[in-house]
Amino acid sequence: MAGNDWINSYLEAILDVGPGIDRDKVKSSLLLRERGRFNPTRFFVEEVITGFDETDLHRSWIRAASMGGTEERNTRMENMSWRIWNLARKKKQVEADEARYRARRRLEREKAHREAAADMSEDLSEGEKGDALGELPARADSIRGRLPRVNSIDAMENWVRQHKEKKLYIVLISLHGLIRGENMELGRDSDTGGQVKYVVELARALGMMPGVYRVDLLTRQVSAPDVDRSYREPIEMLNPRGSDNSHQERGGCSGAYIVRIPFGPKDKYIPKERLWPYIPEFVDDAMKHIIQMSKVLSEHVGVGEPVWPAAIHGHYADAGDSAALLSGSLNVPMIFTGHSLGRDKLDQLLKQGRHSREEINATYKIMRRIEAEDLTLDVSEIVITSTRQEIEEQWRLYDGFDPVLESKLRARMKRGVSCHGRFMPRMVVIPPGMELNHIVPPDLDEGEKNEDKSAHDSPIWSEIMRFFSNPRKPMILALARPDPKKNLTTLVKAFGECRPLRELANLTLIMGNRDDIEEMSTTNASVLFSILRLIDKYDLYGQVAYPKHHKQSEVPDIYRLAARSKGVFINPAFIEPFGLTLIEAAAHGLPIVATKNGGPVDIHRVLDNGLLIDPHDQQAIADALFKLVSDKQLWAKCRQNGLKNIHLFSWPEHCKTYLARIATLRPKQPKWQQSDAEDEGSESDSPRDSSQDVNDLSLDLKISLDGGKTEESVNLDNALDIPKQNTVSGKSKREHAALTSLKNVVDSTRKVGTMNKEDINALSKSLSLRRRKYVFLIACDDIPEILGILNKIMKAVLKDRNAGMIGFILSTSLTITEINSLIASGNFKPSDFDVLICNSGGELYYPSATSEKSSTGLPFVVDSHYQSHTDYRWGGEDLRKTLVRWVSSINDKRKEELVISEDEAGSTAHCYAFKVKDPTLLPPVRELRKLLRIQALRCNVIYCQNGTRLNVIPVLASRCQALRYLYVRWGMDLSNAVVFVGECGDTDYEGLVGGIHKTVILKGYGNGARKLHDGRSYPLEDVLPQESASVVQAEIKDIDDIRASLKKLGIICQ
């Protein structure tokens, strides 16, 4: 700011002193402070820290310098100097740390890209090898230019003709904030903003598109007393705009709906930063809803076949994390929209220099958010952005995405060349839409006599007009929260210091709603105070309006008022991810002045309806506003351009491109439910593949057999014993009929000789898991103690276990061979367990339902469907080569000893295992995950067995995901599952504690694994549910302790 050069020179003088500052003086200053000899005002300290307005800093300096008492004046001056120096030094330190971090990260990326390029150059011709990474963008662009435009009208019409009868089911997820279809409380808090409006309007628009039968927008059900009761309703239908009868025309369950799923504290509305521990709970219940809806839709449009979502679309990091887990559980494609990205926010906060990474993470849980965004890159088929800037400047900050490598992979797929196990999501720019049908721009040619009286009588008009001494002047309109990044203070300064602009126009600031400035957040209140002081400084009374309240429904009237006055809309934000208000303003006939940083650049390129400015250049802002307001021909041209091209930002246009992109996704569904195209021409009573029949029927049956025999093994004939008809109650007649039908299928397949061991095992597993009242999953990672834990738990529930009411699942990082040896050493039989989750969730095995042994020579059968279910983006042999190369680099650093080695005996097709000799010499697990993501290798890395073993499995495989798979395939009720874990465990520990299942934490077990979590990017406590009724801690000295802990969970066992 002009006149404040003294600040820079003074700070430079202080910083030049550096470490040579007189420590005695510093000590004296601190002692004076302790004795209360000086006390700078709180206001000054806040202004120094926030730095919103330099004039107040200057004023405080002058006030301190002019004080009468020499001692007091000097003390105040010394304190100011010390504080300014300390803040500047801290900022310098943060900047230096961040510079070192960026340099290290750049070197890591360059090395990983060289290795990826070397791997992928092996199978290319000499000409293709010339496509170096640095040369790819131009070639990739040329390839992209040859592709047909998926958002063209012809492409959409062709897609509609081809897919109209498919009746798509689409799931959207947006978890935080308060979401409802009407009277949205936008601006109520930081979580209820533009994203809420976006997802609601997207769901509504998609529900009206041809070929889309149903859209579900999943969010959190909030029953807190301080929010409206409408947020407690489990389901809300989104009525189409201007089409009241479309719901009746398309069917009873068609259309768009908000589905509210309860998770987290039941009576509290909590901010998004505190939702992370409860994400697994949402995933479990959302999975139930989707499966139930797929069955309902099968009756309406699926001709008896389940209708799975065409895509699951997550919005923001928390919903992206949920969508990734749901996508893996249900095996359906995932789409992601970030809205705001964690790494970008972290960079902005670090640049301010006021907080370290640790302090930022403690406040915003930013590292957990970034990890969720990394997972979305691992899983998403498509990432939708609003602008190119979001891709080039924000997403490229992430380990899992690089525009150059993405172009290389895209080019290889185009040529049909192998990508060597590497994957990148497709980044697609689809600008947000808006509803344009109800917008009627004011007709400026008819004069005031034909003004729209309904708009003229709008209460917000009179509320704004009362501020102006000359309300007929053109209006400069800004609509934004009083947030520092919105840069409203610079706008007011530009207006106040440009006399010609002040004489020609009025300024209207719509800054949210407020009752009392004292009740606003400190940041927002400080910005508003600064604006009010600037209005007073430049004597802008009668020229600036800043109403306290407005309704969301009145925003169109505000735009109309500005357009009728032949005014201008301005967005001066330092950076604007998209700028939806710019589209709204253009739709109402307002020319725009907007920041050149971010989304407005793309909007201006399409609409060409205004001017772009540097938000830091105060004079440029004033000049642009004056030019548009004073040049009537330019104003008219910009207005006309905006109205002519605004349809390109409508929701129908958005949805056309959106659905065309979905059409490019490969349809997926649970592997065991995929229909066999070869059987489509067969007669209805002809036998289909026996495995398909058995699996489909077993999934649809809901059999609950009360009681049971003591069984050492499961026998298919016994499992299918059908009670006599006269002993079957009316309630179970349908189950009796289904069981009879299933037995007939089995008998018929046996006759034709197609019933194999896998079919028998699948059928028996469906029956055994469904009839269990409870299923106990033992997932304690303290392997030496696991046999003792098993013995105590089984003895505690011996009677119910023998009656078949309780089943057992063993979930460990061991291989099936190691598990077989383990249970044999403890005198357990294979039939004591319903399921064995091996290799940290990489594989599933079941005890064989026949007396024959499997190909492994063990009495267990592998679930091949689970392997294909989790095979998504598995890098296979190319991933193994990269891991071996990483192992060699670790060992090379310690030439005298072998730190880590490949465990060939412990590795399988879906799990690469490594033995670790000294866990303290290995980098944290996050470093290996980062290395693999940089190379576009998608997998799940787990340190286990107290760090002595490393398992690398498919990205969507894990022990908690295996549990969800058992629900999806066999119908095992997750709410009746009890998971036994230690106080800590492998690096996948957090996934086992959260969810709708019940958890018993065994005190004294698993503490040896705590060192594995020391190198986490975020504390384990940030993601573990606190004070949950479904989680209890227990000591298990004897079986009475176990029964007592189960009783706390409402489980009475004998």
Side-chain angles (χ1 to χ4, degrees), residues 59-67 73-74 76-77 80:
R59 189 180 300 118
S60 297
W61 180 278
I62 294 174
R63 191 163 51 243
S66 62
M67 294 190 65
R73 182 187 66 224
N74 291 340
R76 285 179 178 260
M77 297 282 283
M80 290 177 64

Side-chain angles (χ1 to χ4, degrees), residues 321-538:
D321 192 81
S322 306
L325 297 177
L326 285 168
S327 173
S329 301
L330 301 172
N331 200 26
V332 298
M334 175 189 167
I335 302 175
F336 180 66
T337 300
H339 293 277
S340 170
L341 298 181
R343 282 202 182 275
D344 184 61
K345 180 169 184 174
L346 177 62
D347 277 5
Q348 298 298 327
L349 292 172
L350 288 172
K351 287 177 181 177
Q352 294 177 12
R354 297 199 298 269
H355 304 287
S356 66
R357 280 176 172 266
E358 292 72 21
E359 293 169 336
I360 293 171
N361 188 53
T363 302
Y364 298 102
K365 305 296 184 287
I366 201 80
M367 300 312 297
R368 178 63 182 91
R369 173 178 170 183
I370 291 172
E371 175 60 30
E373 289 162 343
D374 274 322
L375 178 61
T376 65
L377 289 173
D378 290 339
V379 180
S380 296
E381 299 274 1
I382 294 175
V383 174
I384 295 176
T385 70
S386 300
T387 64
R388 292 297 308 174
Q389 182 269 350
E390 188 177 342
I391 300 174
E392 296 166 357
E393 298 183 21
Q394 297 184 46
W395 274 118
R396 75 178 307 154
L397 297 173
Y398 286 79
D399 300 321
F401 179 76
D402 181 80
V404 176
L405 186 55
E406 192 269 346
S407 297
K408 185 177 182 68
L409 294 173
R410 191 68 53 192
R412 293 177 69 89
M413 288 189 289
K414 181 71 175 177
R415 299 171 187 154
V417 180
S418 170
C419 291
H420 291 273
R422 290 168 168 83
F423 300 90
M424 282 277 182
R426 185 65 181 269
M427 293 281 174
V428 179
V429 178
I430 311 180
M434 67 173 295
E435 182 59 54
L436 302 176
N437 294 336
H438 66 287
I439 296 177
V440 181
D443 187 351
L444 304 182
D445 298 328
E446 296 185 7
E448 296 182 1
K449 61 180 181 180
N450 292 324
E451 286 182 353
D452 185 343
K453 292 186 178 181
S454 62
H456 187 72
D457 294 336
S458 173
I460 193 64
W461 282 36
S462 57
E463 178 66 18
I464 293 173
M465 290 297 193
R466 69 183 179 89
F467 284 88
F468 299 136
S469 57
N470 182 2
R472 293 186 175 276
K473 290 195 296 185
M475 178 193 297
I476 298 170
L477 173 63
L479 197 156
R481 299 190 313 274
D483 189 291
K485 63 185 179 184
K486 296 302 182 181
N487 200 27
L488 294 179
T489 53
T490 303
L491 170 62
V492 177
K493 290 177 186 177
F495 183 77
E497 294 184 6
C498 182
R499 180 175 294 276
L501 182 62
R502 292 168 54 182
E503 293 175 350
L504 193 60
N506 293 322
L507 176 63
T508 297
L509 303 174
I510 306 297
M511 299 179 289
N513 290 282
R514 64 186 182 278
D515 291 320
D516 189 339
I517 296 181
E518 300 296 333
E519 297 176 358
M520 300 174 67
S521 68
T522 303
T523 302
N524 290 353
S526 183
V527 172
L528 190 54
F529 270 128
S530 296
I531 290 173
L532 295 177
R533 287 193 297 270
L534 289 170
I535 292 173
D536 184 72
K537 174 182 177 179
Y538 298 115

Side-chain angles (χ1 to χ4, degrees), residues 22-166:
D22 191 338
R23 298 298 175 185
D24 293 333
K25 289 185 178 180
V26 173
K27 184 176 180 181
S28 173
S29 173
L30 295 175
L31 290 173
L32 285 171
R33 184 186 312 168
E34 291 170 2
R35 292 198 299 266
R37 296 293 298 274
F38 67 86
N39 181 20
T41 63
R42 177 184 176 186
F43 173 73
F44 164 71
V45 174
E46 289 179 348
E47 287 299 309
V48 170
I49 294 174
T50 56
F52 293 151
D53 194 345
E54 297 164 353
T55 58
D56 293 296
L57 176 58
H58 192 194
R59 189 180 300 118
S60 297
W61 180 278
I62 294 174
R63 191 163 51 243
S66 62
M67 294 190 65
T70 303
E71 182 180 1
E72 186 175 1
R73 182 187 66 224
N74 291 340
T75 301
R76 285 179 178 260
M77 297 282 283
E78 180 185 9
N79 181 68
M80 290 177 64
S81 302
W82 168 253
R83 284 186 176 276
I84 294 174
W85 174 80
N86 189 51
L87 287 168
R89 183 183 61 172
K90 182 178 179 181
K91 184 174 182 178
K92 289 270 187 180
Q93 181 63 43
V94 171
E95 290 175 349
D97 292 343
E98 189 62 18
R100 286 191 292 270
Y101 168 79
R102 287 180 176 276
R104 184 174 68 252
R105 187 170 180 269
R106 184 177 64 255
L107 293 175
E108 291 173 345
R109 291 177 74 102
E110 291 174 354
K111 179 182 178 182
H113 288 167
R114 287 195 299 269
E115 293 178 354
D119 289 345
M120 291 190 290
S121 66
E122 295 176 358
D123 56 357
L124 295 179
S125 66
E126 290 301 318
E128 291 173 318
K129 288 182 181 180
D131 296 335
L133 283 176
E135 301 170 0
L136 275 171
R139 181 157 192 173
D141 288 343
S142 66
I143 291 173
R144 188 179 298 114
R146 295 196 299 267
L147 294 175
R149 291 180 59 198
V150 297
N151 62 343
S152 66
I153 296 176
D154 291 340
M156 184 57 202
E157 289 178 349
N158 291 334
W159 186 88
V160 170
R161 284 195 296 268
Q162 295 172 7
H163 299 82
K164 187 175 182 180
E165 300 303 322
K166 286 196 172 183

